Amino acid sequence: MTDTATLSGKKIIVTGAARGIGASAARALTAAGARVCGLDVSVAAAGAPEVRDAGRLTFDLCDVSSRTSATAAINRAVEEMGGLDVLIHVAGVQRYTPAEAITDEEWDLVVGVNAKGTMIANQAAFPHLKARGGRIVNFASAAGAMGLRGCAHYAASKGAVLAWTRTIAQEWGRYGVSVNAVAPGMWTPMYDTTRAGMSPEQLEAHDRGMAMMIPLGGRLGDPDADMAPVLVFLASDASRFITGQTLAVDGGLMMVR
């Protein structure tokens, strides 16, 4: 019997791979046997040895909100790896601003990276996947399905990712390209930044609320233990008959709410 869960020989691009879930994904996919190219807008990405592994993982700079930058970076990665089997599109930004105070500039930043960036990255990968099929995994959020107070632009952008993912899953399925979304509930550096901006009273109330809303453990998950194995599965041939789905990996947060 063929092991459909192996990633041996797979060529994978991971965006937003400098830290957090993206870095965790790059490590796990490489450990599972894949050749991985990590893309990130941060210049610090070039010095991220924690996600490198014996030459099977390389890095390049990429701004997913720029069609020129993203297309060039993806094309370079495909040429370097000798093909493409999977795109894991993690890159995204989040800002906390009351809905009435969101500026045009902040809206354009958040929606430009999260929604437009998803479109651009998917479109750039598509020609390389079209000929022989493959996988796309886009990162959405529970905010896109339920809304999130203080983050209306973030929620709107992730809602767009969900709708985009379902639509291209229908359009690109005839080429053997499966497209799914994940809605993670993970403890990341971005979440650390959010927590750092809270007063002790706010933090205590927040943690109490999370304990009530997340049935499994009462807190956000660990990217390495909880998210990375799911991405390995979605990148593998074991997921070949799954498309157009949104998989919440959040300890039950989305279910409860």
Side-chain angles (χ1 to χ4, degrees):
M1 178 182 293
T2 302
D3 183 2
T4 56
T6 182
L7 297 184
S8 179
K10 296 290 187 185
K11 302 172 181 68
I12 302 176
I13 291 174
V14 179
T15 68
R19 65 176 192 159
I21 295 174
S24 172
R27 289 193 298 268
L29 295 164
T30 304
R35 174 83 183 274
V36 180
C37 181
L39 305 180
D40 201 282
V41 70
S42 171
V43 294
E50 71 276 9
V51 294
R52 295 180 180 276
D53 183 77
R56 286 193 295 116
L57 190 144
T58 57
F59 243 100
D60 199 358
L61 299 180
C62 171
D63 176 2
V64 297
S65 68
S66 164
R67 186 171 296 277
T68 300
S69 174
T71 301
I74 287 174
N75 286 343
R76 284 194 301 269
V78 173
E79 182 177 1
E80 179 179 326
M81 293 189 295
L84 181 65
D85 297 295
V86 183
L87 169 68
I88 308 286
H89 181 59
V90 186
V93 297
Q94 184 172 10
R95 297 290 185 272
Y96 284 87
T97 305
E100 68 275 13
I102 295 172
T103 63
D104 290 349
E105 291 75 18
E106 191 168 285
W107 176 276
D108 289 344
L109 169 66
V110 173
V111 175
V113 172
N114 296 346
K116 181 183 176 184
T118 298
M119 176 187 71
I120 290 172
N122 288 188
Q123 288 178 332
F126 176 64
H128 304 292
L129 298 172
K130 181 179 178 181
R132 59 178 184 175
R135 316 271 177 265
I136 295 176
V137 181
N138 290 323
F139 268 64
S141 169
M146 303 182 301
L148 181 62
R149 285 176 289 182
C151 292
H153 43 359
Y154 177 76
S157 70
K158 292 301 186 176
V161 170
L162 290 172
W164 166 265
T165 297
R166 288 191 291 267
T167 302
I168 64 170
Q170 296 176 47
E171 293 189 13
W172 295 353
R174 65 182 180 271
Y175 302 110
V177 178
S178 68
V179 191
N180 293 291
V182 292
M186 297 293 124
W187 195 303
T188 64
M190 184 185 294
Y191 182 54
D192 281 327
T193 300
T194 299
R195 292 176 63 86
M198 297 180 183
S199 68
E201 294 76 19
Q202 290 172 326
L203 192 59
E204 192 276 333
H206 172 78
D207 287 344
R208 188 169 61 249
M210 295 296 277
M212 295 176 61
M213 292 188 296
I214 302 178
L216 291 179
R219 55 178 281 160
L220 296 179
D222 175 78
D224 292 333
D226 302 317
M227 189 74 246
V230 176
L231 295 176
V232 169
F233 164 72
L234 289 174
S236 76
D237 291 341
S239 70
R240 63 172 296 276
F241 207 53
I242 302 172
T243 197
Q245 303 304 307
T246 301
L247 183 57
V249 188
D250 60 6
L253 174 64
M254 196 162 152
M255 170 189 70
V256 172
R257 297 183 67 184

